[in-house]
Amino acid sequence: QTLIAFIESLTDFMPILYVGQTNSIAKRTSQHLNGETGLRKYIHEILGLSWEELELRYAVLGRSTELSAEARAIQELFELIMQRVLAPFATERPG
């Protein structure tokens, strides 16, 4: 059990592949899984990984689609900081 827990904890040290924001995590995940974005090709063809080998993590910053300009600016700043700090190598747009 201890060895299994240790091995599972190593996923915390895996590199981040992608950082982005969306109004619907379900819709965006579906787009990635179905190949509507470049992420699927990158994961499968360039990295040679399957979806089962990846772990999806997300942060909810706000649930309203009617955000103020200030709230939206804060979310965009948060995304920029995550892109700079985590250096996700599958995010296509500059961060």
Side-chain angles (χ1 to χ4, degrees):
Q1 290 271 0
T2 304
L3 180 59
I4 293 171
F6 172 73
I7 292 170
E8 288 176 349
S9 74
L10 292 176
T11 62
D12 291 337
F13 300 101
M14 297 303 293
I16 302 297
L17 296 175
Y18 175 82
V19 169
Q21 62 176 293
T22 184
N23 290 328
S24 171
I25 189 70
K27 181 179 177 182
R28 190 62 173 157
T29 301
S30 177
Q31 290 170 334
H32 289 316
L33 292 173
N34 293 328
E36 296 174 42
T37 69
L39 187 60
R40 179 186 177 112
K41 180 178 180 179
Y42 188 86
I43 297 295
H44 296 302
E45 294 180 19
I46 296 175
L47 297 179
L49 297 172
S50 68
W51 291 117
E52 292 80 17
E53 295 174 285
L54 303 176
E55 184 174 328
L56 175 66
R57 295 183 183 191
Y58 63 94
V60 177
L61 301 179
R63 296 190 183 279
S64 173
T65 57
E66 305 281 328
L67 295 176
S68 68
E70 182 178 291
R72 179 128 354 251
I74 291 170
Q75 286 187 349
E76 289 174 5
L77 177 61
F78 184 70
E79 180 184 15
L80 176 68
I81 290 168
M82 287 179 59
Q83 288 177 356
R84 296 290 171 116
V85 171
L86 300 174
F89 52 88
T91 300
E92 291 181 354
R93 64 186 176 278

